[in-house]
Amino acid sequence: MMQWLQQYVREEFLNVILDVFKENGSLIRYLIFSVSRIGAPSSLGGFRFTNVNLQQSDKTSSSALIRKVEMIDPERIDAEAVLSRGGASIGLQEKVVSIVGCGAIGGHLAEMLASSGIGRLILVDNDKMKLENLHRHVLGYQNLGSKKAEALAELINSQYLYTYAKSYTNEIEKLIQIQKDFLSETDLIISGTGDPGINLFLNSHARLIQKPLLIGWLEPYGIGVHTVLIFPVLQVCFRCLALLINL
């Protein structure tokens, strides 16, 4: 094995490897190497050395005792490998999305955003999971009685390695009253509450802090869905629409 290393590993790297083998401690050592691939993330390979004993003063000596060598197949779990394989975008890792209302709309949106590679989610909802929510919600029977925002954050954090979700169970108006810059670090605000009053409040606040706002709501009995995307640079806002359709 030492001859193989000397043949295929550059000398400066070989010396580093042998230095690691010389360290006192466990008699098990691992050698992990990366293989570049065109148009795809690099793959990994490696060896597991058992009972390594290097006591020669000459670090490049091939007379070291290595009683057992096993090939291992390491898996990459870094963001680039995990997200690209799952069809997500690593470019979204720096993005923050705030979702107000973690019901049927907000719950599924949160899961889809996490799946797409969003780095951080802020989830706001003071409501609890009820039986009537089960059929259309991303949460399940085991979450009955739990705060929707907390249960949804727990689901996201347990399932999506590179998305961090933080929950808030106060009303959004109170959160902003206590902390004026509560949503200032977000890249997009989403309202899934279906509450016209909250939508108008978020509309005003989003314009104040110059953040885009996406509002979505369902018609009764699921006969229709509406979405409105509002950019702060435009002269129109959700209040204009609300006045037109008498929301």
Side-chain angles (χ1 to χ4, degrees), residues 99-133:
I99 300 178
V100 181
C102 299
I105 293 178
H108 285 284
L109 277 177
E111 189 174 42
M112 286 188 286
L113 286 167
S115 178
S116 72
I118 290 292
R120 192 149 64 93
L121 291 171
I122 298 172
L123 307 176
V124 181
D125 199 316
N126 65 342
D127 196 14
K128 292 183 178 181
M129 189 71 180
K130 304 180 183 69
L131 277 169
E132 63 192 43
N133 305 135

Side-chain angles (χ1 to χ4, degrees), residues 165-234:
K166 184 172 178 58
S167 62
Y168 295 87
T169 57
N170 292 334
E171 295 175 349
I172 185 63
E173 299 93 334
K174 291 182 179 178
L175 287 170
I176 293 176
Q177 183 180 9
I178 295 171
Q179 186 179 342
K180 298 295 184 184
D181 60 347
F182 177 67
L183 297 177
S184 61
E185 61 182 11
T186 192
D187 295 292
L188 173 66
I189 303 170
I190 298 176
S191 175
T193 65
D195 185 317
I198 294 178
N199 289 339
L200 288 170
F201 172 80
L202 287 173
N203 174 76
S204 298
H205 189 68
R207 289 178 65 81
L208 178 66
I209 63 175
Q210 292 292 287
K211 299 293 181 180
L213 171 66
L214 175 63
I215 299 174
W217 71 95
L218 295 170
E219 291 291 348
Y221 306 107
I223 63 173
V225 62
H226 304 270
T227 57
V228 181
L229 179 59
I230 303 161
F231 293 95
V233 294
L234 301 178

Side-chain angles (χ1 to χ4, degrees), residues 64-79:
L65 173 62
I66 303 178
R67 295 181 179 173
K68 186 178 181 181
V69 179
E70 301 170 276
M71 183 174 288
I72 59 175
D73 185 19
E75 287 189 71
R76 288 184 57 183
I77 59 170
D78 58 285

Side-chain angles (χ1 to χ4, degrees), residues 79 82-84 86-99 106-123 153 155-166 185-190 212 214:
V82 172
L83 296 177
S84 61
S89 172
I90 195 168
L92 296 176
Q93 280 288 281
E94 302 299 321
K95 301 299 182 181
V96 181
V97 175
S98 298
I99 300 178
H108 285 284
L109 277 177
E111 189 174 42
M112 286 188 286
L113 286 167
S115 178
S116 72
I118 290 292
R120 192 149 64 93
L121 291 171
I122 298 172
L123 307 176
L155 173 68
I156 297 296
N157 291 331
S158 65
Q159 187 168 337
Y160 297 95
L161 186 61
Y162 291 101
T163 297
Y164 173 67
K166 184 172 178 58
E185 61 182 11
T186 192
D187 295 292
L188 173 66
I189 303 170
I190 298 176
L214 175 63

Side-chain angles (χ1 to χ4, degrees), residues 33-60:
F33 55 85
S34 173
V35 178
S36 298
R37 298 187 297 171
I38 298 175
S42 59
S43 59
L44 298 180
F47 298 97
R48 181 177 186 263
F49 303 86
T50 306
N51 292 332
V52 177
N53 182 13
L54 284 179
Q55 296 180 351
Q56 303 280 340
S57 58
D58 180 6
K59 292 187 294 185
T60 62

